[in-house]
Amino acid sequence: GENVEQHPSTLSVQEGDSAVIKCTYSDSASNYFPWYKQELGKRPQLIIDIRSNVGEKKDQRIAVTLNKTAKHFSLHITETQPEDSAVYFCAASSTDKLIFGTGTRLQVFP
Amino acid sequence: NAGVMQNPRHLVRRRGQEARLRCSPMKGHSHVYWYRQLPEEGLKFMVYLQKENIIDESGMPKERFSAEFPKEGPSILRIQQVVRGDSAAYFCASSPTTGSGANVLTFGAGSRLTVL
Protein backbone atom coordinates (compact mmCIF):
# COMPACT_ATOMS: atom_id res chain seq x y z
CA GLY A 1 0.00 0.00 0.00
CA GLU A 2 0.86 3.66 -0.08
CA ASN A 3 3.49 5.06 2.28
CA VAL A 4 4.04 8.79 2.72
CA GLU A 5 7.10 10.31 4.36
CA GLN A 6 7.23 13.95 5.45
CA HIS A 7 10.11 16.23 6.43
CA PRO A 8 10.97 18.08 8.53
CA SER A 9 9.03 17.12 11.63
CA THR A 10 9.47 20.61 13.08
CA LEU A 11 10.23 23.90 11.39
CA SER A 12 10.79 27.30 12.97
CA VAL A 13 10.92 30.45 10.87
CA GLN A 14 10.90 34.18 11.42
CA GLU A 15 7.80 36.07 10.39
CA GLY A 16 8.09 37.07 6.74
CA ASP A 17 10.42 34.22 5.82
CA SER A 18 9.42 31.29 3.62
CA ALA A 19 8.71 27.74 4.78
CA VAL A 20 9.06 24.57 2.74
CA ILE A 21 7.75 21.14 3.69
CA LYS A 22 8.57 18.08 1.61
CA CYS A 23 6.86 14.72 1.16
CA THR A 24 7.63 11.55 -0.75
CA TYR A 25 5.24 8.76 -1.63
CA SER A 26 5.70 5.16 -2.68
CA ASP A 27 2.72 4.25 -4.90
CA SER A 28 3.30 5.44 -8.46
CA ALA A 29 -0.45 5.12 -9.07
CA SER A 30 -1.20 7.95 -6.61
CA ASN A 31 -2.84 10.85 -8.39
CA TYR A 32 -4.15 13.21 -5.71
CA PHE A 33 -2.00 15.12 -3.21
CA PRO A 34 -3.69 17.40 -0.65
CA TRP A 35 -2.21 19.41 2.20
CA TYR A 36 -4.05 19.87 5.50
CA LYS A 37 -3.46 22.35 8.30
CA GLN A 38 -4.33 21.38 11.86
CA GLU A 39 -4.31 23.91 14.66
CA LEU A 40 -4.03 22.73 18.24
CA GLY A 41 -7.14 20.83 19.29
CA LYS A 42 -8.88 21.46 15.98
CA ARG A 43 -9.82 19.42 12.95
CA PRO A 44 -7.53 19.08 9.90
CA GLN A 45 -8.52 21.57 7.20
CA LEU A 46 -7.68 21.37 3.53
CA ILE A 47 -5.51 24.30 2.43
CA ILE A 48 -4.44 23.27 -1.06
CA ASP A 49 -4.35 20.20 -3.26
CA ILE A 50 -2.86 19.11 -6.56
CA ARG A 51 -3.66 16.34 -8.99
CA SER A 52 -1.14 14.46 -11.07
CA ASN A 53 -1.98 16.23 -14.30
CA VAL A 54 -0.35 19.46 -13.09
CA GLY A 55 3.11 20.22 -11.73
CA GLU A 56 2.43 23.32 -9.68
CA LYS A 57 -0.50 25.12 -8.12
CA LYS A 58 -0.59 28.42 -6.26
CA ASP A 59 -3.12 30.09 -3.99
CA GLN A 60 -1.97 33.46 -2.65
CA ARG A 61 0.95 32.76 -0.27
CA ILE A 62 0.70 28.99 -0.60
CA ALA A 63 2.00 26.85 -3.45
CA VAL A 64 2.42 23.15 -4.03
CA THR A 65 4.76 21.48 -6.49
CA LEU A 66 4.64 17.89 -7.70
CA ASN A 67 7.36 15.77 -9.29
CA LYS A 68 5.76 12.51 -10.38
CA THR A 69 9.00 11.06 -11.72
CA ALA A 70 10.71 11.43 -8.36
CA LYS A 71 7.49 10.79 -6.44
CA HIS A 72 7.72 13.83 -4.25
CA PHE A 73 5.71 16.96 -3.64
CA SER A 74 6.29 20.07 -1.58
CA LEU A 75 4.37 22.83 0.18
CA HIS A 76 5.74 26.36 0.00
CA ILE A 77 4.48 29.15 2.24
CA THR A 78 5.81 32.62 1.52
CA GLU A 79 5.72 35.70 3.75
CA THR A 80 4.86 33.58 6.76
CA GLN A 81 2.72 35.04 9.53
CA PRO A 82 2.25 33.95 13.16
CA GLU A 83 -1.20 32.59 12.29
CA ASP A 84 0.47 30.11 9.93
CA SER A 85 1.75 28.31 13.05
CA ALA A 86 0.16 24.85 13.06
CA VAL A 87 0.83 21.24 12.13
CA TYR A 88 0.78 20.59 8.40
CA PHE A 89 0.04 17.17 6.91
CA CYS A 90 0.63 16.02 3.37
CA ALA A 91 -1.32 13.09 1.95
CA ALA A 92 -1.46 10.92 -1.14
CA SER A 93 -4.24 8.89 -2.69
CA SER A 94 -4.37 6.34 -5.48
CA THR A 95 -7.75 4.89 -4.62
CA ASP A 96 -10.37 6.62 -2.55
CA LYS A 97 -8.50 6.73 0.75
CA LEU A 98 -5.89 9.28 1.81
CA ILE A 99 -2.66 8.18 3.43
CA PHE A 100 -1.12 10.94 5.51
CA GLY A 101 2.45 11.90 6.28
CA THR A 102 3.55 12.21 9.89
CA GLY A 103 3.14 15.98 10.02
CA THR A 104 5.32 19.08 10.31
CA ARG A 105 4.95 21.43 13.25
CA LEU A 106 5.55 24.93 11.89
CA GLN A 107 6.27 27.75 14.30
CA VAL A 108 6.40 31.30 12.99
CA PHE A 109 8.06 33.74 15.40
CA PRO A 110 7.06 37.39 15.27
CA ASN B 1 -24.60 22.89 5.31
CA ALA B 2 -23.71 21.72 8.82
CA GLY B 3 -20.52 19.98 7.73
CA VAL B 4 -19.35 16.66 9.10
CA MET B 5 -20.90 16.14 12.52
CA GLN B 6 -19.29 13.94 15.13
CA ASN B 7 -20.51 13.05 18.59
CA PRO B 8 -19.70 12.82 21.32
CA ARG B 9 -16.88 15.35 21.23
CA HIS B 10 -15.41 13.91 24.40
CA LEU B 11 -15.91 10.44 25.82
CA VAL B 12 -14.45 8.93 28.97
CA ARG B 13 -14.54 5.19 29.48
CA ARG B 14 -13.04 2.78 31.97
CA ARG B 15 -11.01 -0.16 30.79
CA GLY B 16 -13.24 -2.95 29.55
CA GLN B 17 -16.19 -0.72 28.63
CA GLU B 18 -17.46 -0.05 25.14
CA ALA B 19 -17.10 3.18 23.18
CA ARG B 20 -19.41 4.22 20.36
CA LEU B 21 -18.52 7.17 18.18
CA ARG B 22 -20.95 8.58 15.65
CA CYS B 23 -20.44 10.49 12.44
CA SER B 24 -22.92 12.13 10.06
CA PRO B 25 -21.33 13.06 6.71
CA MET B 26 -21.86 16.32 4.89
CA LYS B 27 -25.08 16.57 2.94
CA GLY B 28 -24.60 14.96 -0.45
CA HIS B 29 -21.56 12.94 0.64
CA SER B 30 -21.85 9.18 0.57
CA HIS B 31 -18.32 8.18 1.55
CA VAL B 32 -17.18 8.10 5.18
CA TYR B 33 -13.67 7.59 6.51
CA TRP B 34 -12.40 7.09 10.04
CA TYR B 35 -8.91 8.13 11.14
CA ARG B 36 -7.22 7.82 14.51
CA GLN B 37 -4.79 10.40 15.85
CA LEU B 38 -2.70 9.62 18.89
CA PRO B 39 -1.37 12.62 20.87
CA GLU B 40 1.38 14.44 18.96
CA GLU B 41 1.09 11.99 16.05
CA GLY B 42 -0.34 11.84 12.56
CA LEU B 43 -3.63 10.65 11.11
CA LYS B 44 -3.83 6.90 10.71
CA PHE B 45 -6.38 5.50 8.28
CA MET B 46 -8.74 2.98 9.86
CA VAL B 47 -11.71 2.30 7.59
CA TYR B 48 -13.60 3.58 4.55
CA LEU B 49 -17.32 2.99 4.16
CA GLN B 50 -20.18 3.70 1.83
CA LYS B 51 -23.80 3.17 2.76
CA GLU B 52 -24.21 -0.42 3.97
CA ASN B 53 -20.75 -1.34 2.67
CA ILE B 54 -17.25 -1.51 4.12
CA ILE B 55 -14.95 -0.66 1.21
CA ASP B 56 -11.55 -0.79 2.92
CA GLU B 57 -10.87 -1.73 6.53
CA SER B 58 -7.15 -2.37 6.14
CA GLY B 59 -6.32 0.05 8.97
CA MET B 60 -8.70 -1.40 11.54
CA PRO B 61 -7.27 -3.49 14.37
CA LYS B 62 -8.39 -7.08 13.92
CA GLU B 63 -10.06 -7.31 17.31
CA ARG B 64 -12.42 -5.11 19.33
CA PHE B 65 -12.94 -2.52 16.56
CA SER B 66 -15.85 -2.43 14.13
CA ALA B 67 -17.51 0.14 11.93
CA GLU B 68 -20.78 0.46 10.10
CA PHE B 69 -22.63 2.94 7.93
CA PRO B 70 -26.27 1.86 7.80
CA LYS B 71 -28.80 2.83 5.20
CA GLU B 72 -30.35 5.25 7.67
CA GLY B 73 -28.48 7.15 10.34
CA PRO B 74 -24.87 7.99 11.07
CA SER B 75 -21.75 5.93 10.68
CA ILE B 76 -20.66 4.32 13.94
CA LEU B 77 -17.18 3.33 15.08
CA ARG B 78 -17.43 0.84 17.91
CA ILE B 79 -14.61 -0.12 20.24
CA GLN B 80 -15.27 -3.00 22.58
CA GLN B 81 -13.41 -3.70 25.83
CA VAL B 82 -11.41 -0.48 25.59
CA VAL B 83 -7.82 -0.33 26.82
CA ARG B 84 -5.67 2.68 27.71
CA GLY B 85 -3.94 2.50 24.34
CA ASP B 86 -7.25 3.29 22.64
CA SER B 87 -7.13 6.81 24.06
CA ALA B 88 -6.91 9.07 21.03
CA ALA B 89 -8.80 11.51 18.85
CA TYR B 90 -10.97 9.75 16.29
CA PHE B 91 -11.70 11.84 13.22
CA CYS B 92 -14.39 11.14 10.71
CA ALA B 93 -14.25 12.58 7.20
CA SER B 94 -16.59 12.47 4.24
CA SER B 95 -16.28 13.01 0.51
CA PRO B 96 -18.54 13.22 -2.52
CA THR B 97 -19.14 10.16 -4.64
CA THR B 98 -17.72 11.30 -7.93
CA GLY B 99 -16.69 14.33 -9.88
CA SER B 100 -13.99 16.88 -9.22
CA GLY B 101 -14.60 16.62 -5.48
CA ALA B 102 -13.85 12.91 -5.31
CA ASN B 103 -11.14 12.16 -2.75
CA VAL B 104 -11.50 15.63 -1.21
CA LEU B 105 -12.02 14.87 2.44
CA THR B 106 -13.82 17.19 4.82
CA PHE B 107 -13.14 16.38 8.45
CA GLY B 108 -15.37 16.52 11.47
CA ALA B 109 -14.24 18.09 14.75
CA GLY B 110 -13.24 14.70 16.14
CA SER B 111 -14.20 12.59 19.14
CA ARG B 112 -11.64 12.49 21.91
CA LEU B 113 -11.68 9.19 23.76
CA THR B 114 -10.02 8.90 27.14
CA VAL B 115 -9.73 5.48 28.75
CA LEU B 116 -9.14 5.51 32.49
Side-chain angles (χ1 to χ4, degrees), chain A:
Chain A
E2 178 64 276
N3 183 50
V4 178
E5 295 191 357
Q6 183 171 347
H7 301 279
S9 57
T10 60
L11 180 59
S12 296
V13 300
Q14 204 73 32
E15 183 178 0
D17 288 349
S18 295
V20 180
I21 303 170
K22 298 182 179 182
C23 288
T24 60
Y25 61 98
S26 60
D27 187 350
S28 56
S30 287
N31 56 12
Y32 176 61
F33 307 92
W35 288 85
Y36 283 79
K37 175 183 180 182
Q38 187 178 30
E39 296 177 359
L40 188 63
K42 301 285 183 65
R43 75 189 74 193
Q45 293 198 299
L46 179 68
I47 56 171
I48 194 167
D49 57 8
I50 191 168
R51 296 189 185 268
S52 59
N53 56 342
V54 297
E56 184 173 354
K57 184 176 177 181
K58 192 173 181 181
D59 182 4
Q60 299 182 3
R61 296 186 297 108
I62 294 172
V64 58
T65 58
L66 171 64
N67 183 329
K68 283 224 75 180
T69 304
K71 288 191 281 187
H72 67 68
F73 55 114
S74 300
L75 177 72
H76 304 251
I77 306 174
T78 58
E79 300 172 28
T80 53
Q81 301 167 3
E83 51 265 38
D84 293 330
S85 297
V87 179
Y88 291 80
F89 292 98
C90 64
S93 171
S94 60
T95 57
D96 285 335
K97 72 186 186 196
L98 287 181
I99 301 300
F100 284 85
T102 48
T104 296
R105 182 175 300 280
L106 173 64
Q107 287 186 298
V108 180
F109 292 99

Side-chain angles (χ1 to χ4, degrees), chain B residues 85-103:
Chain B
D86 297 332
S87 296
Y90 292 83
F91 286 95
C92 171
S94 70
S95 73
T97 306
T98 58
S100 61
N103 305 96

